Amino acid sequence: MGATALGIALAPLGLANIAGAEPVSAPAATDTAATDADAIAAGATSFRSLKQIKAGVLDVGYAEDGHRKGPVVILLHGWPYDIYSFVDVAPILAAAGYRVIVPYLRGYGSTQFLSAETPRNGQQAAIAADILALMDALKIKKATVAGFDWGARTANIMAALWADRVKAMVSVSGYLIGSQAANKKPLPPKGEWQWWYQFYFATDRGRDGYAQHTHDFARLIWEQASPQWHFDDDTFERSAPAFNNVDHVAITIHNYRWRLGLVPGEPKYDAQEATLATFPTIGVPTITMEGDANGAPHPDPANYAKMFTGKYEHRLITGGIGHNLPQEAPQAFAKAIIDVDKLGST
């Protein structure tokens, strides 16, 4: 989490309006659009299309749905989750006229490094650069970006560093840009306890333990981060194969060790990290969201509202919604994207 996330104050705000989203005008091309309202309401178990494309240092695996000429939305997952966090969000957006792109981050699913020589680097700027490279490869000039956990941080970084490529943003848990310097500051005991896995990963025992028990570890995090989300075995097992990626453990361990300054990043990202360490404000239209039962470390919205200098709104989603907000409350998440996209169009 970013420096603003270090205050672990969990006071709820007010109720948010999560009524059904109004559709945007759809382009003429509808060959890949999900338009069956009954199928959307029933809950999805797969994506309409899974694809691969070489982008930057990666061969990126991604799901795609919707109108080929529609406004683009890129949905970004976190750790330890995968693209299935958006399996119900994607068809809602597709039915509303959007082109929806849902990539596996580096170290997940079918996304692979093109070269064995590329460092298995999990630092925040590298992951954001991956998504910019994906946009270039897909010839996407501008997109609305939305995500949670690592995905929200990635969206934040894109909006801060490459605002000309970001139309609008939805960010669960708000402003998550961090720095190694800020992360040197100790937290109160309760805050440190919530980050138990980060300290575990700082040890060789933790690295080996995660490698040996990745499946069970991920499920434990799901349960702790979303204590009121009663997901079934099938739901978890749809995501679990993504953690079998050959680089998943290396990327995870590097990410958390980099945050604490225990390992270096790549020099080619030094300029970006220097900018991010100043905690730049974000001017693109933004809606931040929080679930009322998020069991993962997250900041109080009052601590980050000032970081968003453009059109801005915060929404608290009630009903026992935890950390994996898109999968637990897909209608509310999709509505936020449609609403913020309208803000970006005015």
Side-chain angles (χ1 to χ4, degrees):
M1 312 287 276
T4 56
L6 299 184
I8 313 293
L10 308 182
L13 299 182
L15 290 176
N17 178 8
I18 58 171
E22 299 178 1
V24 298
S25 297
T30 60
D31 55 321
T32 60
T35 56
D36 187 338
D38 292 335
I40 294 172
T45 58
S46 62
F47 288 95
R48 183 165 290 263
S49 178
L50 296 175
K51 301 180 179 180
Q52 294 286 141
I53 191 169
K54 291 180 172 59
V57 299
L58 300 173
D59 182 4
V60 179
Y62 66 100
E64 182 168 359
D65 201 347
H67 299 266
R68 292 178 180 176
K69 296 183 179 179
V72 180
V73 177
I74 300 176
L75 305 177
L76 302 167
H77 68 82
W79 172 88
Y81 303 91
D82 80 326
I83 63 175
Y84 282 90
S85 290
F86 305 104
V87 72
D88 290 312
V89 174
I92 297 171
L93 294 175
Y98 291 92
R99 180 186 180 189
V100 186
I101 306 294
V102 194
Y104 284 109
L105 301 186
R106 57 169 60 192
Y108 294 81
S110 60
T111 293
Q112 302 289 337
F113 285 90
L114 295 174
S115 171
E117 304 303 317
T118 303
R120 273 36 180 179
N121 175 6
Q123 74 181 106
Q124 59 180 359
I127 297 171
D130 290 343
I131 307 306
L132 189 68
L134 176 63
M135 290 178 66
D136 290 342
L138 293 173
K139 296 180 171 54
I140 296 170
K141 293 182 178 180
K142 203 164 192 174
T144 294
V145 293
F148 73 105
D149 196 86
W150 289 21
R153 179 177 298 106
T154 300
N156 288 181
I157 293 170
M158 293 177 67
L161 296 182
W162 304 295
D164 60 322
R165 305 294 298 274
V166 177
K167 181 181 181 183
M169 178 176 69
V170 172
S171 178
V172 177
S173 298
Y175 188 94
L176 300 180
I177 294 172
S179 79
Q180 291 177 318
N183 285 338
K184 291 180 180 179
K185 182 179 180 180
L187 301 178
K190 184 178 180 181
E192 298 284 17
W193 172 76
Q194 289 187 303
W195 286 105
W196 67 270
Y197 52 88
Q198 181 168 252
F199 297 107
Y200 181 63
F201 290 159
T203 68
D204 290 343
R205 177 188 175 97
R207 177 199 62 209
D208 295 344
Y210 188 57
Q212 292 174 31
H213 305 290
T214 308
H215 182 281
D216 292 345
F217 200 105
R219 183 155 190 149
L220 175 63
I221 295 297
W222 281 36
E223 293 168 350
Q224 291 188 337
S226 298
Q228 297 184 42
W229 181 34
H230 303 298
F231 59 89
D232 58 20
D233 290 344
D234 288 344
T235 298
F236 180 75
E237 292 303 332
R238 277 191 288 273
S239 291
F243 316 137
N244 295 333
N245 182 293
V246 66
D247 297 307
H248 177 74
V249 172
I251 294 297
T252 298
I253 298 302
H254 187 274
N255 177 283
Y256 287 102
R257 290 184 178 183
W258 178 88
R259 297 190 201 190
L260 296 177
L262 301 176
V263 294
E266 290 181 80
K268 68 179 180 179
Y269 299 116
D270 285 352
Q272 290 96 325
E273 294 293 355
T275 299
L276 296 173
T278 68
F279 301 107
T281 57
I282 293 173
V284 305
T286 297
I287 292 177
T288 58
M289 308 183 75
E290 193 59 81
D292 65 341
N294 186 356
H298 62 280
D300 187 323
N303 290 345
Y304 57 68
K306 65 184 178 181
M307 304 306 294
F308 301 99
T309 58
K311 298 175 182 178
Y312 174 71
E313 179 185 342
H314 178 76
R315 298 181 180 181
L316 176 68
I317 310 303
T318 60
I321 303 303
H323 190 57
N324 186 2
L325 193 152
Q327 198 163 4
E328 298 175 58
Q331 292 283 350
F333 192 79
K335 176 170 170 52
I337 291 170
I338 293 169
D339 290 347
V340 82
D341 179 69
K342 292 177 181 177
L343 291 178
S345 299
T346 59

